[in-house]
Amino acid sequence: MGQADVNVNLWLKDTKRFADLFNAILFHGETVILPENLHPSPETAAVSLQDAQGKNVVKKQYRDIIMNWQDQAVLMLLAVESQTAVHYAAPLKVMLYDSMEYAEQVRVKWKEHPPRLSSAEFLSRFQKNDKLIPVITLVFYYGTEEWDGPLELHQMFDLGTEKSHAELLKKYLPNYHINLVDVRRLENLESFQSDLQIVFGMLQCSQDKYAMRTYIANHKEYFQKLDLETYHALGAFLNFRQLMEINVKQKEREELDMCKALEDIYNDGVQAGIEAGIKQGRESGIAQGEEAHKKDVAFQMQKLGYPLEAIAAVLRETVEGISKILTVVR
């Protein structure tokens, strides 16, 4: 996991934001999941498998964020997988993560089983009346490029060109969908009740520097008083390493002002652009000066009666190139 994803995940682990994210996506903004009903769940899922030699091999997967949602009538696992880039095997990745969660539940339930089991239950390592806790995973994508990867497992198959046959085969091929949350292209931001609404709104105009600066100015009260986790997360969202690498020990205040930081970054960029322009101008001037000198030498050598081949050899040009230079000079 990269530093950007780490910062984003720490920010999203806040139970108010986490609940708001799922309420907006699952329930269209209705307050169903309460922050106080969310509890962190182990982020490591492991399953024991047998290799080709019959030896047990433990496979581990590390989830970005997973919470246990315990309501009066509902018990579910809610997970988030952060993506800063398009993942072209996302359905397979999420299916594996979720399957390992279910496999772990089966393993735990098997340890709790009473000694008297039917042969079918013993074979299944799962009792007839046992139930699994459902897992819902959101793929939290905050990259700048539009998502062009598959949204379901079926899209990762090549079922040939015969459409009727492909549709028949799909009936027998299990599918697995991902729940993509493309935060830069979300609609109905008013469904979010926390600061997710402000941050996602900023991301949706972040490709236009003027629009983003205007947006931040319009939400100045929020961006001038950020907690450290939000400050780092915004650095990850915007790919501003200066924000992600801020030295906390040097900050005496608990609240951080992003408006000033972005203005400094912008001004540094402008200054760098000016310096690059000056350098480019100098290099261009040198190149133009060399070209003018070359033309002058060619013209003088021609006046002295040197053949084109000799002029070309002195100036390290082709005969055709010298001909063009002399034609322009005339």
Side-chain angles (χ1 to χ4, degrees):
M1 189 188 304
Q3 184 61 37
D5 282 348
V6 170
N7 289 332
V8 169
N9 292 338
L10 286 173
W11 183 69
L12 279 177
K13 278 184 181 179
D14 176 86
T15 53
K16 291 182 179 178
R17 295 190 185 106
F18 193 89
D20 190 31
L21 177 65
F22 276 86
N23 281 329
I25 301 302
L26 271 58
F27 303 109
H28 309 292
E30 183 183 352
T31 305
V32 176
I33 302 171
L34 301 177
E36 56 267 30
N37 291 336
L38 291 171
H39 306 282
S41 186
E43 293 170 352
T44 304
V47 62
S48 180
L49 303 171
Q50 285 191 340
D51 61 14
Q53 287 73 38
K55 296 180 180 180
N56 286 335
V57 178
V58 176
K59 298 290 185 181
K60 290 185 178 181
Q61 294 289 349
Y62 299 91
R63 307 217 66 163
D64 287 347
I65 314 173
I66 185 164
M67 295 271 189
N68 186 319
W69 174 36
Q70 176 70 69
D71 203 354
Q72 291 181 349
V74 181
L75 175 59
M76 297 190 74
L77 289 171
L78 306 177
V80 167
E81 293 300 325
S82 298
Q83 286 294 144
T84 187
V86 177
H87 196 302
Y88 291 108
L92 183 60
K93 174 185 175 182
V94 174
M95 182 179 71
L96 178 61
Y97 283 3
D98 293 351
S99 297
M100 291 185 72
E101 289 292 342
Y102 293 133
E104 176 63 11
Q105 291 180 38
V106 170
R107 186 189 69 81
V108 171
K109 284 182 178 294
W110 177 249
K111 292 176 64 177
E112 300 170 350
H113 283 164
R116 291 188 177 182
L117 299 170
S118 69
S119 58
E121 289 174 327
F122 187 84
L123 178 65
S124 306
R125 304 178 76 85
F126 198 71
Q127 282 189 293
K128 181 179 179 179
N129 295 324
D130 280 343
K131 301 295 180 184
L132 293 174
I133 301 171
V135 181
I136 295 179
T137 299
L138 300 183
V139 177
F140 186 85
Y141 173 61
Y142 57 96
T144 56
E145 300 296 326
E146 188 170 355
W147 183 277
D148 61 352
L151 297 175
E152 58 180 44
L153 191 64
H154 277 182
Q155 294 176 349
M156 297 179 65
F157 298 141
D158 183 0
L159 299 177
T161 57
E162 185 59 49
K163 187 176 180 180
S164 60
H165 291 169
E167 291 303 316
L168 287 172
L169 289 171
K170 283 182 180 180
K171 292 181 180 181
Y172 298 92
L173 280 169
N175 202 3
Y176 210 86
H177 299 263
I178 63 170
N179 304 304
L180 180 69
V181 181
D182 188 344
V183 297
R184 293 180 186 268
R185 297 163 187 86
L186 278 175
E187 298 179 355
N188 303 319
L189 292 182
E190 61 274 9
S191 297
F192 297 94
Q193 306 301 319
S194 68
D195 60 347
L196 295 183
Q197 181 181 134
I198 298 176
V199 173
F200 294 170
M202 180 202 70
L203 290 180
Q204 293 190 359
C205 61
S206 61
Q207 297 303 102
D208 184 331
K209 289 184 179 179
Y210 177 79
M212 188 178 77
R213 293 177 74 195
T214 302
Y215 183 90
I216 291 174
N218 291 337
H219 296 82
K220 197 172 184 179
E221 185 176 351
Y222 172 78
F223 287 104
Q224 281 184 328
K225 299 178 179 180
L226 297 176
D227 60 76
L228 183 63
E229 287 181 353
T230 303
Y231 199 84
H232 283 168
L234 289 172
F237 285 137
L238 299 172
N239 197 27
F240 284 164
R241 190 158 293 279
Q242 297 98 314
L243 300 184
M244 286 191 280
E245 296 179 347
I246 182 174
N247 190 338
V248 184
K249 294 180 181 179
Q250 295 178 358
K251 292 290 179 181
E252 297 179 357
R253 296 176 301 168
E254 293 183 2
E255 296 177 341
L256 302 171
D257 186 351
M258 182 180 169
C259 298
K260 183 179 184 306
L262 286 181
E263 197 63 32
D264 291 343
I265 292 171
Y266 175 78
N267 290 334
D268 289 346
V270 171
Q271 184 62 34
I274 292 172
E275 291 175 359
I278 292 172
K279 182 180 178 182
Q280 184 178 2
R282 286 173 179 168
E283 293 175 350
S284 177
I286 292 171
Q288 290 175 0
E290 290 177 349
E291 189 67 23
H293 176 68
K294 186 181 290 184
K295 290 179 181 178
D296 185 54
V297 171
F299 179 66
Q300 294 300 328
M301 288 184 72
Q302 186 188 46
K303 284 180 65 177
L304 293 172
Y306 286 96
L308 292 180
E309 290 78 6
I311 300 173
V314 170
L315 296 180
R316 296 181 180 179
E317 283 280 355
T318 63
V319 173
E320 292 80 5
I322 292 300
S323 296
K324 289 181 181 179
I325 289 173
L326 292 173
T327 301
V328 173
V329 170
R330 287 172 186 165

